[in-house]
């Protein structure tokens, strides 16, 4: 438990950035926060330092990532096919199976010290989902959760044609988080045909622009997601 609580979060919009470069940047921020927490445990109360929090928004070039619990067989492309599609592939240290990132998708990476907010990883995941659910509601799209599955889904109640619009995969160590969510806004869904998304073969994926029948203002969506996250987590934005 932190002696000093810090609910301020530094928001950084990275624009479009290579997946590996962003991953390395996340690791750097993550390691710094974890190291500070370890040092704080050794320090006296008057020597304690607040731990920082970050929220990164980014759009990646075409890339497939496989989490620790994933099956390599869920990637349906070999190296040559990946090159043809100008896509890259990485095995990474988050939970979850395989997923796709690419243009038209809002990727959010919260690097939060949950000791500053609440120490409950399930609540953390539900809050991230809720921010997306509330954003979709702003556009008249009804979305929710399917029991036993992470992420945000459409037709989540009757499940006649359930389709995922936002995937989640996070890592947490000493209550510090990294990785996050991938929200399809104007995404090219043909790239999902090359994987078994999140290891789920019997459910589809979708994107906001398909549901609305028109392209969506991505800057506006970013702002709405950011604001909903701030309200749910009671965040103060750092200048």
């Amino acid at each position: 438990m932190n002696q000093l609580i810090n609910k301020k979060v530094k928001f950084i919009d990275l624009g479009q950035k290579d997946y590996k470069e962003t991953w390395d940047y996340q690791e750097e921020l993550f390691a710094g926060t974890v190291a500070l927490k370890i040092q704080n445990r050794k320090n006296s109360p008057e020597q304690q330092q607040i731990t920082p929090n970050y929220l990164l928004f980014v759009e990646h070039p075409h890339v497939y990532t496989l989490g620790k619990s994933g099956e390599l067989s869920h990637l349906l492309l070999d190296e040559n096919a990946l090159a043809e599609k100008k896509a890259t592939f990485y095995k990474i240290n988050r939970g979850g199976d395989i997923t796709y990132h690419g243009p038209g998708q809002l990727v959010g990476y919260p690097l939060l010290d949950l000791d500053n907010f609440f120490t409950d990883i399930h609540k953390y995941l539900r809050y991230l989902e809720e921010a997306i659910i509330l954003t979709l509601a702003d556009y008249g799209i009804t979305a929710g959760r399917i029991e036993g599955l992470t992420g945000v889904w459409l037709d989540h109640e009757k499940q006649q044609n359930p389709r995922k619009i936002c995937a989640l995969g996070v890592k947490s160590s000493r209550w510090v988080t990294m990785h996050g969510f991938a929200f399809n806004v104007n995404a090219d869904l043909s790239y999902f045909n090359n994987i078994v998304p999140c290891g789920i073969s019997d459910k589809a994926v979708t994107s906001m622009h398909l549901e609305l029948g028109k392209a969506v203002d991505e800057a506006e969506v970013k702002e709405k997601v950011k604001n909903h996250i701030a309200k749910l987590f009671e965040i103060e934005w750092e200048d």
Side-chain angles (χ1 to χ4, degrees):
M1 185 68 181
N2 294 349
Q3 296 287 332
L4 301 172
I5 301 298
N6 175 34
K7 287 185 174 289
K8 288 188 176 180
V9 176
K10 186 174 182 61
F11 174 72
I12 305 169
D13 189 339
L14 296 172
Q16 187 172 101
K17 194 173 183 67
D18 174 76
Y19 184 84
K20 183 64 165 63
E21 288 180 27
T22 309
W23 186 11
D24 290 344
Y25 182 47
Q26 275 194 86
E27 289 278 14
E28 180 184 328
L29 297 176
F30 178 83
T33 302
V34 169
L36 181 54
K37 291 194 78 170
I38 292 170
Q39 186 59 47
N40 275 344
R41 289 192 174 186
K42 300 174 183 176
N43 291 343
S44 62
E46 58 272 12
Q47 293 176 310
Q48 297 284 310
Q49 299 181 62
I50 61 169
T51 52
N53 306 290
Y54 307 91
L55 175 61
L56 312 181
F57 276 2
V58 66
E59 182 182 83
H60 293 305
H62 302 295
V63 61
Y64 297 101
T65 69
L66 183 68
K68 291 185 295 184
S69 58
E71 296 286 342
L72 186 56
S73 61
H74 291 162
L75 175 65
L76 308 178
L77 300 174
D78 60 18
E79 286 186 17
N80 290 334
L82 279 169
E84 286 177 13
K85 292 189 174 293
K86 297 180 180 178
T88 51
F89 169 73
Y90 295 102
K91 290 183 179 179
I92 59 174
N93 60 355
R94 60 160 170 80
D97 205 287
I98 197 162
T99 194
Y100 159 77
H101 300 310
Q105 185 187 73
L106 171 59
V107 179
Y109 296 129
L111 290 104
L112 306 181
D113 178 3
L114 292 182
D115 267 324
N116 289 322
F117 301 93
F118 48 77
T119 49
D120 184 333
I121 199 68
H122 294 289
K123 182 177 178 180
Y124 171 70
L125 289 168
R126 301 297 84 78
Y127 272 20
L128 293 183
E129 291 168 346
E130 190 65 18
I132 304 302
I133 291 168
L134 291 170
T135 299
L136 289 166
D138 290 337
Y139 290 88
I141 300 173
T142 301
R145 303 171 182 84
I146 294 178
E147 188 174 351
L149 301 174
T150 58
V152 177
W153 299 79
L154 276 57
D155 190 21
H156 60 291
E157 293 176 333
K158 293 184 179 180
Q159 294 187 39
Q160 294 175 338
N161 178 28
R163 48 212 186 275
K164 179 180 273 191
I165 198 164
C166 181
L168 268 73
V170 303
K171 173 188 174 181
S172 174
S173 177
R174 295 180 185 269
W175 295 113
V176 180
T177 67
M178 66 177 291
H179 300 299
F181 62 84
F183 181 22
N184 298 330
V185 181
N186 294 309
D188 180 352
L189 299 187
S190 68
Y191 278 80
F192 284 95
N193 295 333
N194 306 311
I195 61 172
V196 181
C198 300
I200 302 167
S201 60
D202 63 341
K203 292 180 175 63
V205 292
T206 191
S207 179
M208 283 184 72
H209 77 290
L210 290 180
E211 299 297 327
L212 294 171
K214 61 181 181 180
V216 182
D217 184 333
E218 292 177 32
E220 183 182 78
V221 172
K222 283 182 183 181
E223 194 64 23
K224 288 181 182 296
V225 173
K226 179 185 171 187
N227 289 339
H228 286 306
I229 288 174
K231 288 177 184 176
L232 288 162
F233 286 87
E234 298 179 349
I235 281 170
E236 301 171 40
W237 297 116
E238 186 178 307
D239 295 332

